[in-house]
Amino acid sequence: MKAIFDPQHALAQGLFEIRQQFQLPTEFPPDVLAAAQAAAQRTPTDHIDRSGMAFVTLDPATSTDLDQAFAIERSGGDLLLHYAIADVAWFVDDGDPVDAEAWRRGTSQYLPDGKISLYPAILSENAASLLPTGPRPAVIFSVRVGPDGAVRLDGVERAIIRSRAKLAYATVRETDLPDGFAELAARIAEADENRGAARVDPPEQEVERDGDGRFHLQFRPRLRSEDQNAALSLATNMAVADALQAYQTGLFRVMPEPEEQAIARLRQTARAFGIDWPGQMTLTHFERGLNPDQPKHAALMLAIRRAGERATYQPYREGSRPWHAAVSATYAHATAPLRRLADRYVIRAALAVSNGKPVPEEVSEAFERLPDVMTQADRLGGSIERAVIDLAEAVVLQGQEGRVFDAVVTDADDRGARIQLCDLPVVARLRTQGAMPGEDVQVRLTQADSEKRVIRFEPGE
């Protein structure tokens, strides 16, 4: 769960019940742990020594499953990003117990009180993680970034790297980072804007207790270093996608444009928050003007992220160019193999084609099977996220039964109306007939049950 934090453990009992409801595993089977223990002892033999390069990592301070490290150099007017990715495939063989368990899980799953990892910690938080505690095997993607932000994959190699520092978003200084880091991020951001990309990265929510003992949903400011770091992954994933598409292979992340009904609902959400959205302005242009440091803007950014259809995966098909609407480009996941199963196979394909070798048959076969596995894992993650949000809303509103709230109807159907509270990032159903989208309403809270994760409203006075 990346959307809600619970530092005061207000959600502890409810999170336990969510884990029980979705039958989330608490540990790995013994044979998987034994295989991971053995794999962690492997000595790299197919890797070039790049330990002299000044790689660093940049993540949340508490993270130990580090997928990515980076170094940057100048090449004429271009910036050359060397993006080292954890070489999970070096530790995990096709069909071994660790691999089989990863196929069952698909992704790591996140809750406010911890994660359910894709791989055992001895790999994901130790031997395969790019920690600065010693040399690590990695796959280095060298991505050339032009002055206009255009990206091209220059090469891919297996290498031994040694991270110089584990940098954290909240404390990193400009002098800690490689020369060209901010400039590279700015080039990618400008290219995003020029091609009409519509990526939304809202701040994360946090459940906090005030002096009266009541809980509130607050937004944690999103740091500039987070956005800059995200640009490195974006550049690499787009460059990898273009290279695989050119070689007529790969697995791509695809996302359609939001439907008109979803955009109409978002317009009403903006009105509920008192945010002006001119009638002729597109969603893409509107969201660029939102300020994540303003709570209502942050809440609307969160609503935008949740409004569209979920992205899916698609293997290469002749005559088809997969498209990711939020990125406005062809896009592949290659930069988080410790957390996503699909990335391990995309990396293997990119390593092959960049070095003039055929893509292994088992990788091509995996591309055909992965969409169903990843969709199922994403669906589970979405269900967990919805359950956590329901829990958080119920905890925050509990004890306020009888209170009347201002709201706006965002859409309506034969089941009633969907409403957005004006002063809280809460969306709910209202059993009423005749309500019209855009209508201002007052609603009375009748139930806030954290055990059942239910909130109910009725028309107020």
Side-chain angles (χ1 to χ4, degrees), residues 444-461:
R444 185 183 304 278
L445 178 66
T446 61
Q447 183 181 14
D449 188 331
S450 60
E451 290 186 7
K452 297 180 179 178
R453 305 195 295 271
V454 169
I455 57 173
R456 298 191 193 282
F457 293 89
E458 63 180 22
E461 298 179 358

Side-chain angles (χ1 to χ4, degrees), residues 255-296:
M255 175 185 282
E257 297 281 356
E259 295 182 353
E260 287 300 319
Q261 183 178 359
I263 295 175
R265 188 163 60 243
L266 287 170
R267 284 187 174 275
Q268 302 306 336
T269 302
R271 204 172 76 76
F273 290 145
I275 303 172
D276 181 49
W277 183 347
Q280 301 304 313
M281 184 178 288
T282 65
L283 173 61
T284 298
H285 283 86
F286 169 68
E287 62 191 350
R288 285 180 185 156
L290 295 176
N291 181 357
D293 293 332
Q294 297 184 25
K296 290 190 175 182

Side-chain angles (χ1 to χ4, degrees), residues 151-335:
V151 298
R152 187 182 78 225
L153 190 62
D154 261 16
V156 185
E157 64 180 11
R158 271 185 151 151
I160 296 297
I161 72 159
R162 183 186 290 271
S163 173
R164 297 292 197 273
K166 181 179 182 293
L167 306 176
Y169 291 137
T171 57
V172 66
R173 301 167 300 179
E174 187 174 344
T175 53
D176 297 329
L177 294 160
D179 174 54
F181 176 80
E183 183 181 346
L184 189 152
R187 290 183 181 189
I188 298 301
E190 183 178 359
D192 268 5
E193 185 168 352
N194 289 340
R195 67 174 184 276
R199 292 184 300 124
V200 177
D201 293 312
E204 295 161 328
Q205 288 177 288
E206 185 171 87
V207 180
E208 292 184 342
R209 189 194 299 265
D210 65 17
D212 297 326
R214 301 181 99 171
F215 289 102
H216 300 272
L217 276 173
Q218 307 290 345
F219 284 94
R220 299 176 61 183
R222 186 172 172 88
L223 300 171
R224 183 166 177 259
S225 58
E226 294 181 72
D227 292 326
Q228 291 176 321
N229 195 44
L232 275 59
S233 288
L234 176 65
T236 304
N237 287 326
M238 289 194 302
V240 169
D242 286 343
L244 294 181
Q245 179 76 10
Y247 277 87
Q248 301 183 347
T249 187
L251 183 72
F252 304 93
R253 191 71 161 155
V254 296
M255 175 185 282
E257 297 281 356
E259 295 182 353
E260 287 300 319
Q261 183 178 359
I263 295 175
R265 188 163 60 243
L266 287 170
R267 284 187 174 275
Q268 302 306 336
T269 302
R271 204 172 76 76
F273 290 145
I275 303 172
D276 181 49
W277 183 347
Q280 301 304 313
M281 184 178 288
T282 65
L283 173 61
T284 298
H285 283 86
F286 169 68
E287 62 191 350
R288 285 180 185 156
L290 295 176
N291 181 357
D293 293 332
Q294 297 184 25
K296 290 190 175 182
H297 283 222
L300 182 54
M301 293 173 72
L302 194 61
I304 292 170
R305 184 177 72 82
R306 293 170 177 161
E309 293 185 33
R310 287 191 174 273
T312 58
Y313 289 87
Q314 176 183 315
Y316 172 82
R317 294 287 183 264
E318 187 175 357
S320 171
R321 187 167 186 85
W323 197 251
H324 195 294
V327 178
S328 289
T330 303
Y331 188 76
H333 273 159
T335 56

Side-chain angles (χ1 to χ4, degrees), residues 2-135:
K2 300 176 181 177
I4 294 180
F5 282 78
D6 182 30
Q8 297 172 326
H9 309 294
L11 311 180
Q13 181 59 37
L15 294 174
F16 172 79
E17 293 168 358
I18 288 171
R19 288 172 180 269
Q20 296 291 108
Q21 175 188 343
F22 292 104
Q23 299 181 326
L24 301 178
T26 57
E27 57 188 18
F28 286 89
D31 64 326
V32 175
L33 292 175
Q37 179 75 40
Q41 309 306 314
R42 292 180 180 175
T43 301
T45 58
D46 295 346
H47 298 69
I48 297 170
D49 184 4
R50 301 296 186 200
S51 58
M53 296 179 68
F55 282 99
V56 297
T57 63
L58 180 58
D59 297 274
T62 57
S63 294
T64 53
D65 53 343
L66 309 185
D67 288 288
Q68 309 130 4
F70 56 90
I72 299 170
E73 63 177 301
R74 295 186 180 274
S75 177
D78 296 339
L79 291 171
L80 196 56
L81 167 64
H82 300 292
Y83 210 41
I85 306 300
D87 191 0
V88 179
W90 180 253
F91 297 98
V92 181
D93 294 328
D94 294 313
D96 75 9
V98 179
D99 178 57
E101 183 66 17
W103 276 86
R104 282 189 285 270
R105 299 187 180 210
T107 65
S108 296
Q109 299 291 355
Y110 294 86
L111 289 90
D113 59 351
K115 65 179 181 292
I116 297 92
S117 294
L118 179 62
Y119 298 106
I122 193 170
L123 294 179
S124 63
E125 299 180 45
N126 193 334
S129 177
L130 303 183
L131 293 161
T133 52

